[in-house]
């Protein structure tokens, strides 16, 4: 399976919204974009790198790495596949490796961090396969203000 990345552009916002809806993303994630996203993509700013995940010729999801505020050398990872036909096939693992490599070329970091809901077994398995390890747990409110248990994971860049 050919997995590649291309820069996320303002022209991708419609597809991004459809992906979020297609998989009911709020069940899996609190955020579906870089925290500094304000409705206009600033792909080449100094704070984040955002990509579309392509599987062959199909745009299948999004991935981003953004600087962690107040922590030099740490970036936060966000990823989701908006096409269920891509689930369970190693797409996320390949996209993570490529995104870390491409973002590392753009700005310096030594660690990659993410948060994942404890009920998202498929994502946790993917992250472990990419070398992430658990560094903490917590609970936060989701978009509906329900309590959600999550795990923080990290790996070296």
């Amino acid at each position: 399976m050919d997995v590649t990345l291309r820069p996320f552009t303002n022209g991708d916002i419609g597809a991004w919204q459809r992906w979020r809806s297609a998989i009911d993303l709020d069940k899996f994630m609190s955020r579906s974009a870089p925290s500094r996203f304000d409705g206009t993509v600033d792909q080449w700013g100094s704070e984040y790198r955002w990509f579309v995940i392509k599987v062959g010729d199909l745009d299948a999801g999004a991935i981003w790495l953004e600087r962690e505020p107040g922590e030099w050398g740490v970036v936060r990872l966000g990823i989701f596949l908006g096409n269920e036909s891509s689930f369970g096939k190693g797409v996320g693992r390949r996209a993570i490796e490529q995104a870390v490599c491409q973002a590392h070329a753009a700005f310096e970091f030594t660690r990659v961090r993410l948060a994942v809901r404890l009920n998202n077994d498929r994502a946790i398995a993917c992250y472990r396969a990419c070398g992430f390890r658990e560094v903490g747990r917590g609970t936060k409110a989701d978009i509906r203000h329900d309590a959600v248990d999550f795990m923080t994971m990290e790996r070296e860049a």
Side-chain angles (χ1 to χ4, degrees), residues 106-117:
F107 46 82
E108 290 184 48
F109 55 93
T110 58
R111 284 183 297 146
V112 181
R113 179 180 297 152
L114 60 86
V116 59
R117 293 182 181 189

Side-chain angles (χ1 to χ4, degrees), residues 51-86:
F51 305 96
V52 170
I53 302 167
K54 295 184 64 71
V55 178
D57 292 333
L58 175 70
D59 290 348
I63 186 169
W64 64 94
L65 289 118
E66 61 185 313
R67 292 183 191 273
E68 188 75 275
E71 289 193 63
W72 186 90
V74 179
V75 293
R76 183 163 292 268
L77 171 74
I79 180 174
F80 71 92
L81 299 174
N83 181 334
E84 288 189 29
S85 67
S86 300

Side-chain angles (χ1 to χ4, degrees), residues 20-134:
R20 291 171 52 209
S21 182
I23 62 166
D24 196 7
L25 189 64
D26 292 340
K27 285 192 220 176
F28 302 105
M29 298 176 72
S30 299
R31 284 190 307 114
S32 60
S35 61
R36 292 165 188 88
F37 174 61
D38 62 2
T40 301
V41 177
D42 180 18
Q43 170 64 39
W44 305 116
S46 63
E47 299 302 313
Y48 66 85
R49 292 293 182 268
W50 195 2
F51 305 96
V52 170
I53 302 167
K54 295 184 64 71
V55 178
D57 292 333
L58 175 70
D59 290 348
I63 186 169
W64 64 94
L65 289 118
E66 61 185 313
R67 292 183 191 273
E68 188 75 275
E71 289 193 63
W72 186 90
V74 179
V75 293
R76 183 163 292 268
L77 171 74
I79 180 174
F80 71 92
L81 299 174
N83 181 334
E84 288 189 29
S85 67
S86 300
F87 290 4
K89 297 180 179 175
V91 172
R93 182 177 42 79
R94 290 184 195 116
I96 288 168
E97 295 304 327
Q98 290 179 41
V100 167
C101 183
Q102 289 185 37
H104 202 268
F107 46 82
E108 290 184 48
F109 55 93
T110 58
R111 284 183 297 146
V112 181
R113 179 180 297 152
L114 60 86
V116 59
R117 293 182 181 189
L118 289 178
N119 65 356
N120 196 342
D121 295 330
R122 187 177 55 243
I124 292 169
C126 172
Y127 300 142
R128 285 191 171 131
C130 291
F132 286 88
R133 62 181 176 73
E134 181 179 345

